Amino acid sequence: LGSGCGPKATGAVRTPEQQKGALQGRLARLPSSVDPRRTWARSRILRALGRQADARTEIEASVSAAREKLDWSALMLLWRELGEIEVEEGKTERALETFGKALEAANALGDTNARARALIDTAWAFALLGHIGQADEAATEGKVLGGDAVTSDPPSSERLAAIAMRLGNTEEAIPLYQRAESLYRAGGDDASAARCAVHAAYLTWRERGDGDPLARMRSRVDAVDDPEAAMLLQLYDSERALKGSDYPVCESKALEAVKLADLRNVRRSAKIARVMAARCGQRNGNLDSAARMAAEAGAIVEEELIQVVGDVPRQELGFEAFLIYRLLFSLQVGSGTDAQGLQQAFMTSERA
């Protein structure tokens, strides 16, 4: 099974409505089934449409069918997809458990390559949860165990890049993203290739000050159906504008990133985009809009806190909440001195 079932590029820039229509058309041509490969392909399209709950329902039905047949290869494929859905839903601890199921199955089967891929998946989840030491250990074990088989697997290469990025190893992350991009493109998954290309271009700008790769991304991300790469580009362009003190562009790009993150229904990205919109709106003098974005980001991080039980992720999310509510407090104080505004600011300071 290749990656060619992912959302494809059309070669022409289209509106979000046209992209959504193309995805819906492809979904209609792929009837639902418990067949694992068809379920996986439908899940990719449903996720691009922001319908993670529907994708989860179909995956879980296919998992039940695969269990009855003791089809371990299918189960590992489905668990990997389910874990990705759970990450997008902001349920990363649950995703860690799901990836762990694939790891246990690979261990039981003695499948070295599958075990290596599952180790990389668990490392990625550990990194997202703030368990940096465990992420580094699992990723290292996966690389040693799998060798070229790991770096030749597009999701593994992308996740190794994300882990390196999380660890601050930008120069290591860039070629890994570039390799993942090449592998996805070779497999016909243009949307995932575009996502990796945007990440690599952003890190190139941040590490080396070269913004040209990011500037060349616009037509490419608009030519794929999945809005995720376009959302990332808007977010990264917003950061570039903030650094260049171009606050109107910074705010407009961040607000567009918010729209696309909501369309794609990726909770972590929706939170980050709102924080950027709040920061840019504050610098641009739009305090009410900025306060609304900060309040919405605070609501998302509180949703995330409900989803986790581990001490480390709770501490990390708690610190995020503190920073967001501190920003919101400054916006509420700065936007007016009416009694209601001051009361809101006081309540915000208490939450922070």
XYZ file of all heavy atoms in Angstrom, residues 218-254:
285
model
N 3.425 29.302 -1.875
C 2.014 29.650 -1.983
C 1.262 28.840 -3.035
O 0.240 28.220 -2.745
C 1.876 31.155 -2.255
C 0.475 31.654 -2.580
C -0.571 31.225 -1.575
N -0.194 31.550 -0.209
C -0.724 31.013 0.863
N -1.646 30.061 0.723
N -0.350 31.368 2.064
N 1.730 28.851 -4.269
C 0.994 28.146 -5.321
C 0.964 26.643 -5.062
O -0.022 25.973 -5.392
C 1.610 28.433 -6.693
O 2.955 27.985 -6.740
N 1.990 26.139 -4.428
C 2.044 24.702 -4.179
C 0.999 24.271 -3.153
O 0.292 23.279 -3.360
C 3.438 24.300 -3.709
C 3.558 22.813 -3.471
C 4.973 22.388 -3.233
N 5.050 20.952 -2.993
C 6.177 20.309 -2.684
N 7.318 20.966 -2.628
N 6.157 19.013 -2.458
N 0.879 24.996 -2.053
C -0.077 24.577 -1.030
C -1.517 24.806 -1.494
O -2.430 24.069 -1.093
C 0.179 25.288 0.324
C 1.586 25.014 0.824
C -0.074 26.779 0.237
N -1.733 25.801 -2.335
C -3.086 26.062 -2.821
C -3.528 25.050 -3.869
O -4.713 24.984 -4.213
C -3.179 27.471 -3.408
C -3.167 28.544 -2.330
O -3.440 28.210 -1.157
O -2.885 29.715 -2.645
N -2.596 24.280 -4.397
C -2.919 23.305 -5.445
C -3.304 21.943 -4.891
O -3.688 21.061 -5.648
C -1.736 23.154 -6.399
N -3.200 21.752 -3.556
C -3.607 20.477 -2.960
C -4.934 20.659 -2.246
O -5.297 21.761 -1.837
C -2.536 19.926 -1.989
C -1.249 19.624 -2.720
C -2.291 20.880 -0.835
N -5.674 19.561 -2.111
C -7.013 19.636 -1.542
C -7.019 19.819 -0.028
O -7.875 20.500 0.524
C -7.797 18.369 -1.899
C -8.029 18.233 -3.402
O -8.123 19.272 -4.074
O -8.101 17.090 -3.888
N -6.093 19.183 0.666
C -6.032 19.255 2.121
C -5.535 20.645 2.528
O -4.443 21.062 2.119
C -5.080 18.168 2.642
C -5.144 18.009 4.154
O -5.406 18.998 4.862
O -4.918 16.881 4.634
N -6.292 21.400 3.358
C -5.891 22.765 3.724
C -4.790 22.858 4.780
O -4.390 23.964 5.150
C -7.191 23.375 4.256
C -7.956 22.212 4.794
C -7.625 21.047 3.884
N -4.271 21.729 5.264
C -3.313 21.776 6.366
C -2.033 22.526 5.992
O -1.542 23.359 6.758
C -2.964 20.364 6.840
C -2.065 20.354 8.069
C -1.781 18.968 8.587
O -1.959 17.989 7.825
O -1.373 18.847 9.754
N -1.473 22.238 4.817
C -0.226 22.904 4.419
C -0.443 24.400 4.252
O 0.414 25.212 4.629
C 0.310 22.291 3.126
N -1.588 24.790 3.697
C -1.894 26.218 3.541
C -2.012 26.886 4.900
O -1.566 28.036 5.082
C -3.179 26.392 2.746
N -2.607 26.188 5.872
C -2.717 26.732 7.220
C -1.343 26.968 7.834
O -1.064 28.015 8.418
C -3.536 25.769 8.081
C -3.715 26.181 9.537
S -2.367 25.621 10.617
C -2.549 23.849 10.456
N -0.455 25.973 7.682
C 0.902 26.121 8.222
C 1.636 27.284 7.574
O 2.338 28.045 8.248
C 1.680 24.819 8.003
C 1.254 23.619 8.851
C 1.936 22.352 8.340
C 1.594 23.839 10.315
N 1.473 27.436 6.269
C 2.146 28.526 5.561
C 1.655 29.878 6.059
O 2.461 30.797 6.281
C 1.926 28.394 4.054
C 2.621 29.451 3.190
C 4.131 29.423 3.411
C 2.289 29.233 1.716
N 0.349 30.022 6.240
C -0.178 31.284 6.767
C 0.385 31.568 8.158
O 0.749 32.710 8.476
C -1.710 31.233 6.823
C -2.409 31.147 5.485
C -2.433 32.464 4.733
O -1.786 33.437 5.114
N -3.180 32.510 3.639
N 0.473 30.540 8.974
C 0.999 30.709 10.333
C 2.465 31.120 10.309
O 2.879 32.044 11.025
C 0.821 29.394 11.102
C 1.209 29.387 12.574
C 0.389 30.390 13.357
C 1.024 27.989 13.160
N 3.253 30.455 9.471
C 4.671 30.782 9.398
C 4.896 32.154 8.761
O 5.806 32.906 9.171
C 5.412 29.692 8.616
C 5.472 28.359 9.330
C 5.605 27.164 8.610
C 5.402 28.267 10.718
C 5.667 25.937 9.252
C 5.461 27.044 11.364
C 5.592 25.884 10.627
O 5.660 24.665 11.275
N 4.094 32.512 7.764
C 4.192 33.848 7.168
C 3.835 34.922 8.192
O 4.404 36.016 8.185
C 3.265 33.960 5.956
C 3.851 33.338 4.699
O 5.070 33.074 4.683
O 3.091 33.125 3.732
N 2.876 34.613 9.060
C 2.511 35.531 10.125
C 3.691 35.761 11.073
O 3.978 36.897 11.471
C 1.310 34.984 10.903
O 0.998 35.815 12.000
N 4.391 34.693 11.410
C 5.566 34.824 12.280
C 6.654 35.656 11.619
O 7.307 36.479 12.270
C 6.099 33.434 12.638
C 7.235 33.460 13.641
C 7.699 32.079 14.051
O 6.897 31.130 13.996
O 8.893 31.944 14.432
N 6.856 35.449 10.321
C 7.840 36.256 9.591
C 7.454 37.734 9.617
O 8.305 38.607 9.812
C 7.941 35.794 8.143
C 8.660 34.475 7.938
C 8.659 34.099 6.459
N 9.455 35.026 5.669
C 9.291 35.252 4.376
N 8.317 34.641 3.709
N 10.079 36.087 3.738
N 6.161 38.010 9.415
C 5.698 39.399 9.417
C 5.848 40.020 10.800
O 6.200 41.210 10.927
C 4.244 39.464 8.959
N 5.612 39.240 11.848
C 5.778 39.743 13.212
C 7.235 40.109 13.470
O 7.529 41.169 14.033
C 5.309 38.687 14.215
C 5.432 39.044 15.699
C 4.590 40.264 16.037
C 5.019 37.859 16.580
N 8.128 39.265 13.035
C 9.551 39.548 13.227
C 9.970 40.777 12.436
O 10.844 41.541 12.879
C 10.396 38.344 12.797
C 11.873 38.505 13.128
C 12.661 37.231 12.889
C 14.111 37.415 13.305
N 14.908 36.176 13.098
N 9.341 41.004 11.285
C 9.651 42.176 10.470
C 8.853 43.405 10.850
O 8.894 44.422 10.131
N 8.078 43.325 11.944
C 7.264 44.441 12.452
C 6.189 44.893 11.469
O 5.739 46.040 11.507
C 8.157 45.638 12.835
O 9.089 45.269 13.827
N 5.758 43.983 10.592
C 4.662 44.280 9.668
C 3.381 43.738 10.303
O 2.881 42.672 9.947
C 4.919 43.630 8.305
C 3.945 44.102 7.234
O 2.914 44.693 7.604
O 4.220 43.883 6.041
N 2.831 44.500 11.248
C 1.755 43.999 12.083
C 0.427 43.793 11.345
O -0.292 42.831 11.651
C 1.580 44.903 13.300
C 2.851 45.037 14.097
C 3.346 46.291 14.464
C 3.587 43.900 14.459
C 4.523 46.410 15.185
C 4.766 44.011 15.180
C 5.233 45.275 15.534
O 6.407 45.392 16.229
N 0.049 44.631 10.381
C -1.186 44.351 9.630
C -1.120 43.017 8.879
O -2.077 42.235 8.904
C -1.294 45.537 8.661
C -0.557 46.644 9.346
C 0.585 45.973 10.036
N 0.003 42.747 8.213
C 0.159 41.473 7.507
C 0.203 40.322 8.511
O -0.409 39.263 8.289
C 1.429 41.480 6.633
C 1.732 40.082 6.101
C 1.255 42.453 5.473
N 0.890 40.553 9.599
C 0.991 39.533 10.650
C -0.399 39.119 11.117
O -0.722 37.925 11.191
C 1.804 40.098 11.816
S 1.873 39.044 13.273
N -1.255 40.095 11.395
C -2.592 39.791 11.901
C -3.449 39.116 10.840
O -4.146 38.126 11.128
C -3.278 41.065 12.393
C -4.635 40.780 13.031
C -5.318 42.020 13.572
O -4.942 43.152 13.158
O -6.231 41.864 14.399
N -3.424 39.620 9.615
C -4.272 39.043 8.565
C -3.869 37.601 8.261
O -4.726 36.732 8.064
C -4.208 39.894 7.295
O -2.916 39.866 6.711
N -2.567 37.333 8.243
C -2.098 35.968 7.995
C -2.504 35.042 9.139
O -2.920 33.895 8.915
C -0.577 35.957 7.837
C -0.045 36.696 6.614
C -0.246 35.891 5.354
C 0.433 36.524 4.167
N 0.209 35.756 2.912
N -2.385 35.523 10.374
C -2.735 34.701 11.529
C -4.228 34.393 11.552
O -4.639 33.268 11.856
C -2.316 35.398 12.816
